Amino acid sequence: VQLQASGGGLVEPGGSLKLSCASSEFILGEYAIAWFRQAPGKEREGISCIAKYDETTYYDDSVKGRFTISRDNAKKMVYLQMNSLKPEDTAVYFCAADRRRCSWYSSHFSSWGQGTLVTVSS
């Protein structure tokens, strides 16, 4: 499945951004979709995932209560609403898909988007 992430940009601390992940897959609902991020000099980390079928959502503690993942299978889109952004949220954000289940491990996911840069700074 081909994925394309978009929506990144420069935002002040406390601000909001909404990332989008567009999919080429006709039946997006058959994939678990995750958001990962990679800050400069750091490893890629999983921050949120939405399961296929029942759409159970998962969040890393670092974003829980601030970020919301959602999907629109009809539009073949997955979103990440990011509120109360902090400078430590600065990173390149990637979406990833897999036919199996959610995971926090990047090696679990078979398809990746190209990444979109989010910069949180005043």
Side-chain angles (χ1 to χ4, degrees):
V1 56
Q2 298 294 321
L3 301 171
Q4 184 170 0
S6 62
L10 174 63
V11 63
E12 293 185 348
S16 298
L17 278 176
K18 186 174 184 178
L19 305 184
S20 299
C21 179
S23 167
S24 65
E25 179 60 36
F26 180 70
I27 309 178
L28 184 63
E30 293 186 349
Y31 289 80
I33 306 293
W35 285 95
F36 285 75
R37 67 185 180 187
Q38 188 165 16
K42 295 188 176 181
E43 293 187 355
R44 190 171 298 187
E45 61 174 351
I47 57 170
S48 186
C49 190
I50 185 165
K52 64 180 183 179
Y53 301 139
D54 67 359
E55 300 190 359
T56 301
T57 57
Y58 304 90
Y59 299 95
D60 183 76
D61 287 344
S62 64
V63 305
K64 195 174 295 181
R66 301 188 298 124
F67 291 10
T68 302
I69 190 171
S70 62
R71 67 196 302 161
D72 185 332
N73 290 335
K75 295 182 179 179
K76 297 186 287 185
M77 297 288 290
V78 174
Y79 305 99
L80 186 68
Q81 177 66 48
M82 306 187 297
N83 299 327
S84 302
L85 283 162
K86 306 174 181 180
E88 51 263 43
D89 294 318
T90 295
V92 178
Y93 285 70
F94 301 86
C95 55
D98 194 85
R99 281 188 174 273
R100 295 167 292 174
R101 63 193 182 284
C102 280
S103 171
W104 294 124
Y105 297 100
S106 59
S107 59
H108 174 85
F109 291 86
S110 54
S111 299
W112 289 84
Q114 84 287 1
T116 185
L117 176 63
V118 172
T119 303
V120 184
S121 175
S122 55

mmCIF file with all atom_site columns, all heavy atoms in Angstrom, residues 5-26:
data_model
loop_
_atom_site.group_PDB
_atom_site.id
_atom_site.type_symbol
_atom_site.label_atom_id
_atom_site.label_alt_id
_atom_site.label_comp_id
_atom_site.label_asym_id
_atom_site.label_entity_id
_atom_site.label_seq_id
_atom_site.pdbx_PDB_ins_code
_atom_site.Cartn_x
_atom_site.Cartn_y
_atom_site.Cartn_z
_atom_site.occupancy
_atom_site.B_iso_or_equiv
_atom_site.pdbx_formal_charge
_atom_site.auth_seq_id
_atom_site.auth_comp_id
_atom_site.auth_asym_id
_atom_site.auth_atom_id
_atom_site.pdbx_PDB_model_num
ATOM 1   N N   . ALA A 1 5  ? 2.146   11.157 3.773  1.00 0.00 ? 5  ALA A N   1
ATOM 2   C CA  . ALA A 1 5  ? 1.851   12.005 4.927  1.00 0.00 ? 5  ALA A CA  1
ATOM 3   C C   . ALA A 1 5  ? 1.979   13.469 4.547  1.00 0.00 ? 5  ALA A C   1
ATOM 4   O O   . ALA A 1 5  ? 2.836   13.836 3.742  1.00 0.00 ? 5  ALA A O   1
ATOM 5   C CB  . ALA A 1 5  ? 2.812   11.682 6.062  1.00 0.00 ? 5  ALA A CB  1
ATOM 6   N N   . SER A 1 6  ? 1.119   14.290 5.153  1.00 0.00 ? 6  SER A N   1
ATOM 7   C CA  . SER A 1 6  ? 1.158   15.725 4.898  1.00 0.00 ? 6  SER A CA  1
ATOM 8   C C   . SER A 1 6  ? 0.604   16.470 6.097  1.00 0.00 ? 6  SER A C   1
ATOM 9   O O   . SER A 1 6  ? 0.044   15.866 7.016  1.00 0.00 ? 6  SER A O   1
ATOM 10  C CB  . SER A 1 6  ? 0.357   16.072 3.640  1.00 0.00 ? 6  SER A CB  1
ATOM 11  O OG  . SER A 1 6  ? -0.999  15.715 3.814  1.00 0.00 ? 6  SER A OG  1
ATOM 12  N N   . GLY A 1 7  ? 0.745   17.802 6.082  1.00 0.00 ? 7  GLY A N   1
ATOM 13  C CA  . GLY A 1 7  ? 0.166   18.621 7.128  1.00 0.00 ? 7  GLY A CA  1
ATOM 14  C C   . GLY A 1 7  ? 1.155   19.194 8.127  1.00 0.00 ? 7  GLY A C   1
ATOM 15  O O   . GLY A 1 7  ? 0.769   19.939 9.018  1.00 0.00 ? 7  GLY A O   1
ATOM 16  N N   . GLY A 1 8  ? 2.421   18.851 7.994  1.00 0.00 ? 8  GLY A N   1
ATOM 17  C CA  . GLY A 1 8  ? 3.414   19.381 8.908  1.00 0.00 ? 8  GLY A CA  1
ATOM 18  C C   . GLY A 1 8  ? 3.662   20.860 8.677  1.00 0.00 ? 8  GLY A C   1
ATOM 19  O O   . GLY A 1 8  ? 3.193   21.449 7.708  1.00 0.00 ? 8  GLY A O   1
ATOM 20  N N   . GLY A 1 9  ? 4.418   21.456 9.593  1.00 0.00 ? 9  GLY A N   1
ATOM 21  C CA  . GLY A 1 9  ? 4.739   22.865 9.463  1.00 0.00 ? 9  GLY A CA  1
ATOM 22  C C   . GLY A 1 9  ? 5.322   23.416 10.738 1.00 0.00 ? 9  GLY A C   1
ATOM 23  O O   . GLY A 1 9  ? 5.669   22.655 11.655 1.00 0.00 ? 9  GLY A O   1
ATOM 24  N N   . LEU A 1 10 ? 5.422   24.734 10.800 1.00 0.00 ? 10 LEU A N   1
ATOM 25  C CA  . LEU A 1 10 ? 5.947   25.428 11.973 1.00 0.00 ? 10 LEU A CA  1
ATOM 26  C C   . LEU A 1 10 ? 4.781   25.924 12.826 1.00 0.00 ? 10 LEU A C   1
ATOM 27  O O   . LEU A 1 10 ? 3.861   26.585 12.309 1.00 0.00 ? 10 LEU A O   1
ATOM 28  C CB  . LEU A 1 10 ? 6.814   26.603 11.536 1.00 0.00 ? 10 LEU A CB  1
ATOM 29  C CG  . LEU A 1 10 ? 7.338   27.532 12.640 1.00 0.00 ? 10 LEU A CG  1
ATOM 30  C CD1 . LEU A 1 10 ? 8.261   26.771 13.580 1.00 0.00 ? 10 LEU A CD1 1
ATOM 31  C CD2 . LEU A 1 10 ? 8.047   28.728 12.021 1.00 0.00 ? 10 LEU A CD2 1
ATOM 32  N N   . VAL A 1 11 ? 4.821   25.620 14.100 1.00 0.00 ? 11 VAL A N   1
ATOM 33  C CA  . VAL A 1 11 ? 3.754   26.040 15.011 1.00 0.00 ? 11 VAL A CA  1
ATOM 34  C C   . VAL A 1 11 ? 4.376   26.450 16.337 1.00 0.00 ? 11 VAL A C   1
ATOM 35  O O   . VAL A 1 11 ? 5.415   25.911 16.744 1.00 0.00 ? 11 VAL A O   1
ATOM 36  C CB  . VAL A 1 11 ? 2.724   24.906 15.187 1.00 0.00 ? 11 VAL A CB  1
ATOM 37  C CG1 . VAL A 1 11 ? 3.355   23.677 15.823 1.00 0.00 ? 11 VAL A CG1 1
ATOM 38  C CG2 . VAL A 1 11 ? 1.508   25.363 15.961 1.00 0.00 ? 11 VAL A CG2 1
ATOM 39  N N   . GLU A 1 12 ? 3.747   27.389 17.002 1.00 0.00 ? 12 GLU A N   1
ATOM 40  C CA  . GLU A 1 12 ? 4.241   27.835 18.300 1.00 0.00 ? 12 GLU A CA  1
ATOM 41  C C   . GLU A 1 12 ? 3.848   26.843 19.396 1.00 0.00 ? 12 GLU A C   1
ATOM 42  O O   . GLU A 1 12 ? 2.847   26.119 19.257 1.00 0.00 ? 12 GLU A O   1
ATOM 43  C CB  . GLU A 1 12 ? 3.681   29.215 18.632 1.00 0.00 ? 12 GLU A CB  1
ATOM 44  C CG  . GLU A 1 12 ? 4.199   30.319 17.730 1.00 0.00 ? 12 GLU A CG  1
ATOM 45  C CD  . GLU A 1 12 ? 3.724   31.686 18.165 1.00 0.00 ? 12 GLU A CD  1
ATOM 46  O OE1 . GLU A 1 12 ? 2.821   31.752 19.026 1.00 0.00 ? 12 GLU A OE1 1
ATOM 47  O OE2 . GLU A 1 12 ? 4.248   32.686 17.653 1.00 0.00 ? 12 GLU A OE2 1
ATOM 48  N N   . PRO A 1 13 ? 4.613   26.805 20.472 1.00 0.00 ? 13 PRO A N   1
ATOM 49  C CA  . PRO A 1 13 ? 4.229   25.941 21.603 1.00 0.00 ? 13 PRO A CA  1
ATOM 50  C C   . PRO A 1 13 ? 2.801   26.222 22.049 1.00 0.00 ? 13 PRO A C   1
ATOM 51  O O   . PRO A 1 13 ? 2.389   27.384 22.127 1.00 0.00 ? 13 PRO A O   1
ATOM 52  C CB  . PRO A 1 13 ? 5.239   26.311 22.684 1.00 0.00 ? 13 PRO A CB  1
ATOM 53  C CG  . PRO A 1 13 ? 6.445   26.768 21.923 1.00 0.00 ? 13 PRO A CG  1
ATOM 54  C CD  . PRO A 1 13 ? 5.899   27.484 20.713 1.00 0.00 ? 13 PRO A CD  1
ATOM 55  N N   . GLY A 1 14 ? 2.060   25.156 22.306 1.00 0.00 ? 14 GLY A N   1
ATOM 56  C CA  . GLY A 1 14 ? 0.659   25.285 22.674 1.00 0.00 ? 14 GLY A CA  1
ATOM 57  C C   . GLY A 1 14 ? -0.291  25.253 21.498 1.00 0.00 ? 14 GLY A C   1
ATOM 58  O O   . GLY A 1 14 ? -1.509  25.165 21.685 1.00 0.00 ? 14 GLY A O   1
ATOM 59  N N   . GLY A 1 15 ? 0.251   25.312 20.303 1.00 0.00 ? 15 GLY A N   1
ATOM 60  C CA  . GLY A 1 15 ? -0.573  25.324 19.107 1.00 0.00 ? 15 GLY A CA  1
ATOM 61  C C   . GLY A 1 15 ? -1.003  23.936 18.668 1.00 0.00 ? 15 GLY A C   1
ATOM 62  O O   . GLY A 1 15 ? -0.721  22.932 19.341 1.00 0.00 ? 15 GLY A O   1
ATOM 63  N N   . SER A 1 16 ? -1.682  23.879 17.518 1.00 0.00 ? 16 SER A N   1
ATOM 64  C CA  . SER A 1 16 ? -2.225  22.628 16.996 1.00 0.00 ? 16 SER A CA  1
ATOM 65  C C   . SER A 1 16 ? -1.875  22.444 15.531 1.00 0.00 ? 16 SER A C   1
ATOM 66  O O   . SER A 1 16 ? -1.682  23.422 14.797 1.00 0.00 ? 16 SER A O   1
ATOM 67  C CB  . SER A 1 16 ? -3.751  22.612 17.142 1.00 0.00 ? 16 SER A CB  1
ATOM 68  O OG  . SER A 1 16 ? -4.151  22.687 18.491 1.00 0.00 ? 16 SER A OG  1
ATOM 69  N N   . LEU A 1 17 ? -1.795  21.201 15.138 1.00 0.00 ? 17 LEU A N   1
ATOM 70  C CA  . LEU A 1 17 ? -1.652  20.816 13.741 1.00 0.00 ? 17 LEU A CA  1
ATOM 71  C C   . LEU A 1 17 ? -2.428  19.538 13.523 1.00 0.00 ? 17 LEU A C   1
ATOM 72  O O   . LEU A 1 17 ? -2.585  18.735 14.447 1.00 0.00 ? 17 LEU A O   1
ATOM 73  C CB  . LEU A 1 17 ? -0.181  20.565 13.374 1.00 0.00 ? 17 LEU A CB  1
ATOM 74  C CG  . LEU A 1 17 ? 0.729   21.743 13.039 1.00 0.00 ? 17 LEU A CG  1
ATOM 75  C CD1 . LEU A 1 17 ? 2.150   21.239 12.802 1.00 0.00 ? 17 LEU A CD1 1
ATOM 76  C CD2 . LEU A 1 17 ? 0.221   22.513 11.849 1.00 0.00 ? 17 LEU A CD2 1
ATOM 77  N N   . LYS A 1 18 ? -2.867  19.328 12.294 1.00 0.00 ? 18 LYS A N   1
ATOM 78  C CA  . LYS A 1 18 ? -3.531  18.072 11.938 1.00 0.00 ? 18 LYS A CA  1
ATOM 79  C C   . LYS A 1 18 ? -2.780  17.449 10.784 1.00 0.00 ? 18 LYS A C   1
ATOM 80  O O   . LYS A 1 18 ? -2.709  18.021 9.695  1.00 0.00 ? 18 LYS A O   1
ATOM 81  C CB  . LYS A 1 18 ? -4.987  18.303 11.569 1.00 0.00 ? 18 LYS A CB  1
ATOM 82  C CG  . LYS A 1 18 ? -5.761  17.013 11.342 1.00 0.00 ? 18 LYS A CG  1
ATOM 83  C CD  . LYS A 1 18 ? -7.241  17.294 11.122 1.00 0.00 ? 18 LYS A CD  1
ATOM 84  C CE  . LYS A 1 18 ? -8.052  16.014 10.989 1.00 0.00 ? 18 LYS A CE  1
ATOM 85  N NZ  . LYS A 1 18 ? -9.498  16.281 10.816 1.00 0.00 ? 18 LYS A NZ  1
ATOM 86  N N   . LEU A 1 19 ? -2.205  16.294 11.024 1.00 0.00 ? 19 LEU A N   1
ATOM 87  C CA  . LEU A 1 19 ? -1.514  15.558 9.985  1.00 0.00 ? 19 LEU A CA  1
ATOM 88  C C   . LEU A 1 19 ? -2.485  14.634 9.272  1.00 0.00 ? 19 LEU A C   1
ATOM 89  O O   . LEU A 1 19 ? -3.421  14.108 9.877  1.00 0.00 ? 19 LEU A O   1
ATOM 90  C CB  . LEU A 1 19 ? -0.360  14.750 10.573 1.00 0.00 ? 19 LEU A CB  1
ATOM 91  C CG  . LEU A 1 19 ? 0.670   15.523 11.389 1.00 0.00 ? 19 LEU A CG  1
ATOM 92  C CD1 . LEU A 1 19 ? 1.801   14.582 11.807 1.00 0.00 ? 19 LEU A CD1 1
ATOM 93  C CD2 . LEU A 1 19 ? 1.201   16.709 10.634 1.00 0.00 ? 19 LEU A CD2 1
ATOM 94  N N   . SER A 1 20 ? -2.218  14.427 7.997  1.00 0.00 ? 20 SER A N   1
ATOM 95  C CA  . SER A 1 20 ? -3.031  13.519 7.199  1.00 0.00 ? 20 SER A CA  1
ATOM 96  C C   . SER A 1 20 ? -2.146  12.459 6.568  1.00 0.00 ? 20 SER A C   1
ATOM 97  O O   . SER A 1 20 ? -0.994  12.726 6.227  1.00 0.00 ? 20 SER A O   1
ATOM 98  C CB  . SER A 1 20 ? -3.755  14.285 6.094  1.00 0.00 ? 20 SER A CB  1
ATOM 99  O OG  . SER A 1 20 ? -4.632  15.256 6.630  1.00 0.00 ? 20 SER A OG  1
ATOM 100 N N   . CYS A 1 21 ? -2.702  11.280 6.428  1.00 0.00 ? 21 CYS A N   1
ATOM 101 C CA  . CYS A 1 21 ? -2.011  10.170 5.772  1.00 0.00 ? 21 CYS A CA  1
ATOM 102 C C   . CYS A 1 21 ? -2.958  9.626  4.713  1.00 0.00 ? 21 CYS A C   1
ATOM 103 O O   . CYS A 1 21 ? -3.998  9.053  5.042  1.00 0.00 ? 21 CYS A O   1
ATOM 104 C CB  . CYS A 1 21 ? -1.647  9.099  6.796  1.00 0.00 ? 21 CYS A CB  1
ATOM 105 S SG  . CYS A 1 21 ? -0.818  7.654  6.103  1.00 0.00 ? 21 CYS A SG  1
ATOM 106 N N   . ALA A 1 22 ? -2.601  9.827  3.461  1.00 0.00 ? 22 ALA A N   1
ATOM 107 C CA  . ALA A 1 22 ? -3.427  9.363  2.357  1.00 0.00 ? 22 ALA A CA  1
ATOM 108 C C   . ALA A 1 22 ? -2.954  7.988  1.917  1.00 0.00 ? 22 ALA A C   1
ATOM 109 O O   . ALA A 1 22 ? -1.753  7.717  1.828  1.00 0.00 ? 22 ALA A O   1
ATOM 110 C CB  . ALA A 1 22 ? -3.339  10.349 1.202  1.00 0.00 ? 22 ALA A CB  1
ATOM 111 N N   . SER A 1 23 ? -3.909  7.144  1.638  1.00 0.00 ? 23 SER A N   1
ATOM 112 C CA  . SER A 1 23 ? -3.598  5.764  1.256  1.00 0.00 ? 23 SER A CA  1
ATOM 113 C C   . SER A 1 23 ? -4.102  5.461  -0.138 1.00 0.00 ? 23 SER A C   1
ATOM 114 O O   . SER A 1 23 ? -5.131  5.978  -0.557 1.00 0.00 ? 23 SER A O   1
ATOM 115 C CB  . SER A 1 23 ? -4.248  4.809  2.254  1.00 0.00 ? 23 SER A CB  1
ATOM 116 O OG  . SER A 1 23 ? -4.218  3.486  1.768  1.00 0.00 ? 23 SER A OG  1
ATOM 117 N N   . SER A 1 24 ? -3.357  4.629  -0.827 1.00 0.00 ? 24 SER A N   1
ATOM 118 C CA  . SER A 1 24 ? -3.794  4.181  -2.145 1.00 0.00 ? 24 SER A CA  1
ATOM 119 C C   . SER A 1 24 ? -4.609  2.895  -2.056 1.00 0.00 ? 24 SER A C   1
ATOM 120 O O   . SER A 1 24 ? -5.141  2.435  -3.052 1.00 0.00 ? 24 SER A O   1
ATOM 121 C CB  . SER A 1 24 ? -2.582  3.940  -3.038 1.00 0.00 ? 24 SER A CB  1
ATOM 122 O OG  . SER A 1 24 ? -1.812  2.865  -2.518 1.00 0.00 ? 24 SER A OG  1
ATOM 123 N N   . GLU A 1 25 ? -4.689  2.345  -0.843 1.00 0.00 ? 25 GLU A N   1
ATOM 124 C CA  . GLU A 1 25 ? -5.336  1.048  -0.670 1.00 0.00 ? 25 GLU A CA  1
ATOM 125 C C   . GLU A 1 25 ? -6.843  1.193  -0.681 1.00 0.00 ? 25 GLU A C   1
ATOM 126 O O   . GLU A 1 25 ? -7.417  2.001  0.063  1.00 0.00 ? 25 GLU A O   1
ATOM 127 C CB  . GLU A 1 25 ? -4.888  0.409  0.644  1.00 0.00 ? 25 GLU A CB  1
ATOM 128 C CG  . GLU A 1 25 ? -5.532  -0.925 0.932  1.00 0.00 ? 25 GLU A CG  1
ATOM 129 C CD  . GLU A 1 25 ? -5.231  -1.973 -0.144 1.00 0.00 ? 25 GLU A CD  1
ATOM 130 O OE1 . GLU A 1 25 ? -4.123  -1.982 -0.683 1.00 0.00 ? 25 GLU A OE1 1
ATOM 131 O OE2 . GLU A 1 25 ? -6.137  -2.770 -0.445 1.00 0.00 ? 25 GLU A OE2 1
ATOM 132 N N   . PHE A 1 26 ? -7.521  0.398  -1.497 1.00 0.00 ? 26 PHE A N   1
ATOM 133 C CA  . PHE A 1 26 ? -8.966  0.500  -1.621 1.00 0.00 ? 26 PHE A CA  1
ATOM 134 C C   . PHE A 1 26 ? -9.659  0.143  -0.319 1.00 0.00 ? 26 PHE A C   1
ATOM 135 O O   . PHE A 1 26 ? -10.611 0.774  0.096  1.00 0.00 ? 26 PHE A O   1
ATOM 136 C CB  . PHE A 1 26 ? -9.454  -0.427 -2.740 1.00 0.00 ? 26 PHE A CB  1
ATOM 137 C CG  . PHE A 1 26 ? -10.938 -0.372 -2.925 1.00 0.00 ? 26 PHE A CG  1
ATOM 138 C CD1 . PHE A 1 26 ? -11.537 0.758  -3.464 1.00 0.00 ? 26 PHE A CD1 1
ATOM 139 C CD2 . PHE A 1 26 ? -11.739 -1.435 -2.562 1.00 0.00 ? 26 PHE A CD2 1
ATOM 140 C CE1 . PHE A 1 26 ? -12.910 0.812  -3.644 1.00 0.00 ? 26 PHE A CE1 1
ATOM 141 C CE2 . PHE A 1 26 ? -13.112 -1.387 -2.733 1.00 0.00 ? 26 PHE A CE2 1
ATOM 142 C CZ  . PHE A 1 26 ? -13.692 -0.257 -3.276 1.00 0.00 ? 26 PHE A CZ  1
#
